[in-house]
Amino acid sequence: MTDETSFDDRAAESPILRRSLHDETVARLRDMIIDGRLAPGDRVNEGDVGRRLGVSRTPMREALKTLAAEGLIENVPGRGAVVRAFTRDDVFDMLEALKIIEQEAGRLACARASDADIASLRAVHDRMMQLYAVRSRLNYFKLNQDIHSGFARISGNATLLWAHESIQARMKRIRFVGNGSEDKWAAAVAEHEEMIVALEAHDGDALAEVIGRHIDRTWVRVQDALPERASAAPAEEPLAS
Amino acid sequence: MTDETSFDDRAAESPILRRSLHDETVARLRDMIIDGRLAPGDRVNEGDVGRRLGVSRTPMREALKTLAAEGLIENVPGRGAVVRAFTRDDVFDMLEALKIIEQEAGRLACARASDADIASLRAVHDRMMQLYAVRSRLNYFKLNQDIHSGFARISGNATLLWAHESIQARMKRIRFVGNGSEDKWAAAVAEHEEMIVALEAHDGDALAEVIGRHIDRTWVRVQDALPERASAAPAEEPLAS
DNA sequence: ATGCAACATGCTGTATGCAGCATACTTGAT
DNA sequence: ATCAAGTATGCTGCATACAGCATGTTGCAT
């Protein structure tokens, strides 16, 4: 279960385009939040964390403003940045919204997407099947994000894609935690296959139905891993150990 | 038609809660973008605009980062902030996304909203009818934002509300411009009435249908005011004149 | 022992200074 | 006259310095 050690996925980025320091800092902080180095409820000390990332307070503060707008942290006046902690209700809302967006994006994709677009999603799915075959959980998980936002991507609607990815970014930590047991994983893989088949058949209703089922079961799975009232962070490292 | 002069709506804010300088700056810049003082494509000079707002470059830069995350401006590396210009396709995508979110939020609202919630929306609608009666265009327009995000608000889903408001914030400028002629306005008012009736009857399908129709017609209306390829800003002030 | 008040510390919020880069202008050559 | 190259200017990006505030601690009084 531990063929990978770090959650870091920066290596997968485009190799040519060098990002600005701001984007870099935002990305690294995002990673720290997702993989739990910054736990929900933690105060983010600009000086400390900035030193740790090798940037001064100014770009640090700017990155925190960006993350606040993304909904990953909260900026309390006079007290600085706090990693946002999601309640059970918050997570329910996020999944419900994700379901709506993904279903409708799926319908649009069935109506509009080119064969090449569909083939590209099929390719991602095939790679995920291979990763599932060797139980490479972390790499599977990484691609899982892609395939879900993939429907929004090939729907051709940039705003839907933006909304989906924004919400998914907040959920990443939680989905990471609630990745579930062997049989649940198998069921998820089967549903993915159903989705791709529906997409290839341009059957929007069928696709929406599977997506709905899939996300409903995600809610069940995630719910178990969620503490009663507070956030999404058990104290210990949940997966990458 | 010119009973109001400024787009400014800060007076409508909660009187007690004093906002931080950051939030204040963000809000003021947002207003400047919406009412056209900062036109799409304009470069935002940190020094100049900062002086104009009475803040130094640092909080200015932080505000720009927030606005960039909100999608109202773009941060070009090495060139600073540029007010984002939306293409016709961008606007179509935004309206399509808004339609999806608003329809499904409406369905949820019909299923879940309390009588008090529904009554509050009815109250907003009634006030809009009064404003329509005296043709108070700008004040009508302000409440129009509220009633549309209102469905998301009383759906009880905070994430849907967030998504709706985020997208609507970007659209504000365009909706402002494309407010349309007398008869189109009358049609819009009639559709609003239909929506409230459907909501009060808890008829989700009917509500979704009206919302769909309403936004489709918004697209038609807005499209005319939209230049072919570029942004959403005719040079002159379009409405408050 | 407990509560309150004054103080000390450390952090946030803002301003300013400096280096680097992009762009515009000027000057010269063809 | 036009184009190119070098130069100059002004802005961005980042670091640092300073002021104000929130919080934790200590000492004193009851």
Side-chain angles (χ1 to χ4, degrees):
Chain A
M1 199 193 244
T2 316
D3 47 344
E4 307 92 356
T5 53
S6 162
F7 193 82
D8 194 298
D9 57 355
R10 264 162 288 155
E13 303 275 338
S14 156
I16 294 158
L17 183 67
R18 177 185 280 137
R19 288 189 296 183
S20 66
L21 179 62
H22 173 76
D23 293 348
E24 191 69 35
T25 307
V26 170
R28 294 178 66 182
L29 283 170
R30 213 184 275 126
D31 286 345
M32 290 177 72
I33 292 170
I34 291 162
D35 67 19
R37 276 173 292 172
L38 291 174
D42 278 4
R43 281 182 62 174
V44 183
N45 185 309
E46 299 166 359
D48 290 348
V49 181
R51 251 184 304 279
R52 198 165 148 193
L53 295 180
V55 298
S56 84
R57 283 185 55 216
T58 306
M60 186 68 194
R61 286 178 59 82
E62 290 172 4
L64 289 174
K65 288 291 187 295
T66 296
L67 289 170
E70 287 181 8
L72 283 176
I73 69 158
E74 216 159 350
N75 253 319
V76 196
R79 296 199 48 182
V82 177
V83 180
R84 199 162 147 192
F86 296 111
T87 67
R88 181 179 289 239
D89 286 349
D90 290 335
V91 175
F92 177 85
D93 286 354
M94 287 189 276
L95 277 173
E96 189 171 67
L98 229 37
K99 178 167 143 185
I100 288 169
I101 292 168
E102 209 167 312
Q103 283 180 319
E104 300 309 311
R107 281 207 170 85
L108 292 176
C110 285
R112 296 177 187 161
S114 70
D115 291 346
D117 287 337
I118 293 174
S120 73
L121 258 199
R122 157 65 78 181
V124 173
H125 173 65
D126 288 344
R127 284 180 54 204
M128 288 178 73
M129 292 292 269
Q130 292 170 17
L131 292 168
Y132 172 66
V134 297
R135 298 297 186 277
S136 177
R137 248 199 151 83
L138 187 56
N139 284 325
Y140 177 92
F141 176 74
K142 287 177 189 171
L143 285 184
N144 193 36
Q145 309 286 329
D146 292 349
I147 208 159
H148 279 280
S149 52
F151 295 115
R153 176 166 285 112
I154 68 174
S155 79
N157 186 314
T159 303
L160 278 182
L161 177 60
W162 168 85
H164 191 276
E165 286 190 331
S166 298
I167 299 167
Q168 194 163 245
R170 295 181 212 167
M171 290 277 316
K172 220 171 176 179
R173 167 69 178 161
I174 290 129
R175 268 199 165 138
F176 188 43
V177 171
N179 214 9
S181 62
E182 177 68 23
D183 55 337
K184 289 175 182 171
W185 192 4
V189 169
E191 280 165 355
H192 279 196
E193 175 66 28
E194 280 189 78
M195 290 184 207
I196 300 293
V197 169
L199 176 65
E200 286 171 335
H202 297 272
D203 187 341
D205 289 337
L207 177 55
E209 189 275 328
V210 187
I211 289 173
R213 204 164 4 111
H214 190 67
I215 295 188
D216 286 345
R217 287 199 328 97
T218 301
W219 167 240
V220 174
R221 210 167 58 228
V222 153
Q223 215 174 357
D224 298 337
L226 232 50
E228 193 47 47
R229 158 74 200 160
S231 71
E236 9 60 60
E237 204 52 38
L239 194 150
S241 61
Chain B
M1 204 207 252
T2 316
D3 48 344
E4 307 92 355
T5 53
S6 162
F7 193 83
D8 194 299
D9 58 354
R10 264 162 287 153
E13 303 273 338
S14 156
I16 294 158
L17 184 66
R18 178 185 280 139
R19 288 189 294 184
S20 67
L21 179 63
H22 173 75
D23 294 347
E24 191 69 35
T25 308
V26 170
R28 294 177 66 182
L29 284 171
R30 214 185 274 127
D31 287 345
M32 292 177 71
I33 292 170
I34 291 162
D35 68 19
R37 276 172 293 173
L38 291 175
D42 278 3
R43 281 182 64 173
V44 183
N45 184 309
E46 300 167 359
D48 289 349
V49 182
R51 249 185 307 280
R52 200 165 146 194
L53 294 180
V55 299
S56 82
R57 286 184 52 218
T58 307
M60 186 67 194
R61 286 177 59 81
E62 291 173 3
L64 289 173
K65 288 290 187 295
T66 296
L67 288 170
E70 288 181 6
L72 284 176
I73 69 159
E74 216 159 349
N75 255 317
V76 195
R79 296 201 47 182
V82 177
V83 179
R84 196 162 149 193
F86 296 110
T87 67
R88 183 179 288 241
D89 286 349
D90 289 334
V91 176
F92 177 85
D93 286 355
M94 286 189 276
L95 277 173
E96 188 171 67
L98 228 37
K99 178 168 144 185
I100 287 169
I101 292 168
E102 210 167 311
Q103 283 181 320
E104 299 309 310
R107 282 208 169 84
L108 293 176
C110 285
R112 296 178 188 161
S114 71
D115 291 345
D117 287 338
I118 293 174
S120 73
L121 257 199
R122 158 64 78 180
V124 174
H125 173 66
D126 288 345
R127 285 179 55 204
M128 288 179 72
M129 292 292 269
Q130 293 170 16
L131 292 169
Y132 171 66
V134 297
R135 299 297 187 276
S136 178
R137 247 197 152 83
L138 187 56
N139 284 323
Y140 177 91
F141 176 74
K142 286 177 189 170
L143 285 183
N144 193 36
Q145 309 285 327
D146 292 347
I147 208 159
H148 279 281
S149 52
F151 295 115
R153 175 167 286 111
I154 69 174
S155 78
N157 187 314
T159 303
L160 278 183
L161 177 60
W162 168 85
H164 191 278
E165 287 190 330
S166 299
I167 298 167
Q168 193 162 246
R170 293 180 215 170
M171 290 279 315
K172 221 172 176 178
R173 166 70 178 160
I174 290 129
R175 269 200 164 137
F176 188 42
V177 172
N179 213 9
S181 61
E182 177 69 22
D183 57 334
K184 288 175 182 170
W185 192 4
V189 168
E191 279 165 356
H192 278 196
E193 174 66 28
E194 279 190 79
M195 289 183 207
I196 300 292
V197 169
L199 176 65
E200 286 171 336
H202 296 273
D203 187 341
D205 289 337
L207 178 55
E209 189 275 329
V210 187
I211 289 174
R213 200 160 12 105
H214 190 67
I215 295 188
D216 286 345
R217 287 197 331 95
T218 300
W219 167 239
V220 174
R221 211 168 57 229
V222 153
Q223 215 175 357
D224 297 338
L226 230 53
E228 192 47 49
R229 159 72 200 162
S231 71
E236 9 61 60
E237 204 51 37
L239 194 150
S241 62

